[in-house]
Amino acid sequence: MGPERYRCRCGQNYLTAATEWDHFSEWERKRRIQCTLGFAAVFSVIISVCGLAAYLTLRYVFFLPRAGVIVGALIAAFPFLFMVVPFSLGVASSMWRTRVGTRTVSAQD
């Protein structure tokens, strides 16, 4: 997913072999969303073991139960956010390029 065209400094346009979000089929969009959310959830579950260890350490060793909950939740949520936020920003930028940016580029040509 990315810009379909690249404009060189010399003014020449080239195809990049990328496809914008708006040009994907509905099936492809759903597949990409499901894969991203699925991998993010799996990695968050795996990393949540470290979050549980941090929680237990803060609660029973340092006697900080609230801090343990916060730190444990942040550790478990980090992989999910690390995968979903860039994906969402990529989709948003792709939609911006095709819906808003195209008008600007075509007006310049």
Side-chain angles (χ1 to χ4, degrees):
M1 183 173 62
E4 294 175 341
R5 296 187 182 275
Y6 170 76
R7 179 174 282 185
C8 182
R9 290 184 191 173
C10 64
Q12 199 75 352
N13 283 330
Y14 298 99
L15 293 176
T16 63
T19 304
E20 294 284 6
W21 182 258
D22 286 341
H23 299 150
F24 286 137
S25 66
E26 189 66 29
W27 178 83
E28 180 67 17
R29 290 181 193 174
K30 285 181 182 178
R31 188 186 70 77
R32 287 179 181 245
I33 290 170
Q34 289 173 346
C35 284
T36 301
L37 292 177
F39 283 131
V42 167
F43 288 134
S44 285
V45 168
I46 292 169
I47 296 297
S48 68
V49 173
C50 296
L52 178 64
Y55 165 73
L56 293 173
T57 302
L58 287 170
R59 179 172 175 103
Y60 295 112
V61 175
F62 297 107
F63 304 106
L64 300 168
R66 288 185 185 166
V69 170
I70 293 170
V71 170
L74 287 175
I75 290 172
F78 181 74
F80 188 82
L81 294 174
F82 188 69
M83 292 180 75
V84 171
V85 169
F87 174 75
S88 300
L89 292 175
V91 169
S93 65
S94 175
M95 291 169 68
W96 177 266
R97 282 190 299 266
T98 55
R99 296 179 185 178
V100 177
T102 305
R103 293 184 202 136
T104 307
V105 172
S106 62
Q108 292 176 354
D109 289 337

